[in-house]
Amino acid sequence: MPTPPRVRLAAPAELPALQAIERAAGEPFRALGMAAVADDEPPALELLADYRRAGRAWVAADAADRPAAYLIWDVVDGAAHIEQVSVHPRAARQRVGHALITHLAHVAAADEGLAALTLTTFADVPWNAPYYARTGFRILSDGELTEGLRRIRREEAAHGLDRWPRVCMRREL
């Protein structure tokens, strides 16, 4: 069994690598007819730097200590909200994303006192909602959405992401 990835804070010099991971992770969307997702620009370096300074930009490092995946997160309505988690295709199916989410779950509960993880994702993309459901997340009904999640969904819709079905998900901690 491969060694679990090391999860750590992203280094300032690694932020362009996070953008490269995002671009590479977007490419498989092309095969699903979602070229606009594949072509979407990754988070700006300034935004990634803000997350890093806040201690909320983590990487899962490979054996050579290079980022293979990353996760950025916010606190939204009392939950740790996964703003983005992306895994480079070369590290897919190696539990790298799972390591990042597990790390966040521990930090959110033990260090931040938060009760849950939340995220928004594509409903029908196999490595999106179905994957998260296998890791303990459940789809929220419209009536369960917090004001913060509603705001995020409005922003996503304005960005054009509602061309494909999207859902909000939650995992209790």
Side-chain angles (χ1 to χ4, degrees):
M1 175 175 278
T3 304
R6 180 174 159 238
V7 175
R8 60 172 172 74
L9 184 66
E14 292 174 327
L15 299 181
L18 304 189
Q19 291 180 314
I21 289 168
E22 183 72 19
R23 286 185 185 100
E27 281 305 309
F29 284 91
R30 234 177 260 295
L32 300 178
M34 299 171 75
V37 174
D39 294 335
D40 194 35
E41 283 298 309
L45 290 175
E46 299 79 24
L47 180 62
L48 292 171
D50 288 345
Y51 276 104
R52 195 200 73 73
R53 279 190 293 275
R56 294 183 178 164
W58 301 332
V59 298
D62 64 16
D65 201 34
R66 295 173 308 206
Y70 80 96
L71 182 148
I72 55 177
W73 65 283
D74 292 308
V75 175
V76 175
D77 299 329
H81 182 77
I82 299 171
E83 177 59 32
Q84 184 65 41
V85 60
S86 294
V87 178
H88 195 287
R90 74 172 183 268
R93 300 185 183 269
Q94 297 176 30
R95 300 185 55 80
V96 175
H98 180 69
L100 284 163
I101 293 168
T102 299
H103 184 76
L104 176 58
H106 174 76
V107 168
D111 299 346
E112 301 286 334
L114 301 172
L117 304 180
T118 60
L119 55 83
T120 61
T121 193
F122 293 109
D124 300 326
V125 174
W127 58 89
N128 279 197
Y131 166 78
Y132 295 118
R134 290 191 304 274
T135 66
F137 285 83
R138 67 177 180 82
I139 295 174
L140 297 174
S141 69
D142 286 344
E144 294 177 289
L145 299 183
T146 64
E147 185 50 43
L149 290 174
R150 289 180 196 284
R151 176 188 48 77
I152 290 167
R153 287 293 296 118
R154 286 191 300 271
E155 291 168 0
E156 291 175 346
H159 192 67
L161 292 178
D162 278 6
R163 287 182 272 176
W164 306 276
R166 294 205 37 99
V167 293
C168 292
M169 301 184 80
R170 181 179 176 98
R171 178 174 140 188
E172 300 302 324
L173 298 176

